[in-house]
């Protein structure tokens, strides 16, 4: 019986302690910072001109420069298509050189190549027959190859008569005029 009384006394003490704890001063609930109202300003976005100016003295220099020169020399400048201050695109023709002399050389080289190829074709089936020396047959073939190579060289030069802009940008300086001779 003493055990029962002791257990009841402990249970009653715990119940009183819990009741007294519940009667204590309550802490105010913590406020959530996200729940607080914030002041917000709203501005409508629209294009406006920038007011004010900035004055500075000094030298304005380009970040990068590209020197442009003709790849072939000795040809007369026919046209200059760009001047100082012009904006150009990459690949745009800046200077056109006169092709008249080169076109005459190409016509002559085409005739020589045709003649050499004709002679090479004539001896094509004579290898080892003894009609013509093997050295003469080989010489005609080499002459045809040399004539074709000379023609390709002249055609390549003709393509290089247009001096183009290597990059897009602004022309800073011009040192050539129509009538000048191209120099490398």
């Amino acid at each position: 019986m003493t055990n029962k009384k002791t257990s009841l006394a402990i249970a009653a003490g715990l119940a009183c302690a819990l009741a007294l704890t519940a009667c204590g001063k309550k802490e105010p609930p913590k406020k959530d910072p996200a729940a607080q109202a914030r002041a917000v300003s709203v501005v409508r976005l629209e294009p406006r001109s920038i007011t004010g100016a900035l004055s500075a003295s000094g030298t304005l220099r380009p970040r990068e420069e590209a020197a442009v020169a003709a790849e072939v020399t000795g040809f007369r400048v026919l046209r200059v298509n760009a001047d100082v201050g012009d904006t150009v695109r990459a690949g745009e023709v800046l200077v056109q050189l006169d092709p008249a002399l080169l076109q005459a050389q190409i016509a002559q080289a085409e005739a020589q190549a045709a003649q050499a190829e004709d002679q090479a074709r004539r001896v094509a089936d004579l290898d080892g027959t003894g009609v013509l020396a093997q050295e003469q047959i080989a010489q005609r073939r080499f002459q045809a190859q040399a004539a074709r190579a000379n023609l390709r060289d002249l055609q390549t030069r003709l393509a290089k008569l247009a001096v183009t802009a290597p990059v897009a940008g602004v022309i800073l300086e011009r040192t050539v005029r129509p009538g000048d001779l191209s120099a490398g």
Side-chain angles (χ1 to χ4, degrees):
M1 200 150 152
T2 48
N3 267 345
K4 264 188 183 185
K5 285 184 186 179
T6 309
S7 298
L8 281 176
I10 291 175
L14 284 175
C16 288
L18 285 174
L20 289 176
T21 307
C23 293
K25 188 175 182 183
K26 294 184 180 178
E27 288 184 31
K30 293 184 181 179
K31 295 183 180 179
D32 182 16
Q36 292 180 343
R38 294 185 181 168
V40 177
S41 297
V42 178
V43 177
R44 180 177 299 275
L45 293 178
E46 58 188 45
R48 293 184 193 170
S49 60
I50 297 175
T51 57
L54 174 65
S55 296
S57 62
T59 304
L60 183 62
R61 294 196 178 151
R63 188 168 22 128
E64 293 180 25
E65 289 185 23
V68 180
E71 292 184 47
V72 291
T73 60
F75 292 92
R76 192 146 317 272
V77 174
L78 187 64
R79 276 188 319 276
V80 178
N81 299 330
D83 205 354
V84 174
D86 290 352
T87 301
V88 296
R89 296 179 316 273
E92 185 175 339
V93 176
L94 304 175
V95 175
Q96 181 65 50
L97 302 176
D98 189 3
L101 294 173
L102 200 54
Q103 288 171 338
Q105 290 175 348
I106 288 174
Q108 183 180 9
E110 285 174 342
Q112 288 173 347
Q115 181 183 16
E117 287 175 6
D118 182 52
Q119 288 181 2
R121 264 195 306 274
R122 285 184 190 175
V123 297
D125 296 331
L126 298 180
D127 284 326
T129 60
V131 175
L132 215 58
Q134 198 62 33
E135 183 179 325
Q136 290 175 331
I137 294 171
Q139 182 181 12
R140 289 184 183 180
R141 289 179 182 154
F142 291 137
Q143 285 174 345
Q145 286 178 346
R148 282 192 301 268
N150 183 41
L151 179 59
R152 279 193 306 271
D153 175 56
L154 292 172
Q155 290 169 335
T156 301
R157 284 186 187 185
L158 182 65
K160 300 290 183 179
L161 291 181
V163 180
T164 60
V167 294
V170 177
I171 304 294
L172 297 177
E173 182 180 11
R174 185 183 99 178
T175 58
V176 66
R177 297 177 309 237
D180 289 351
L181 286 177
S182 65

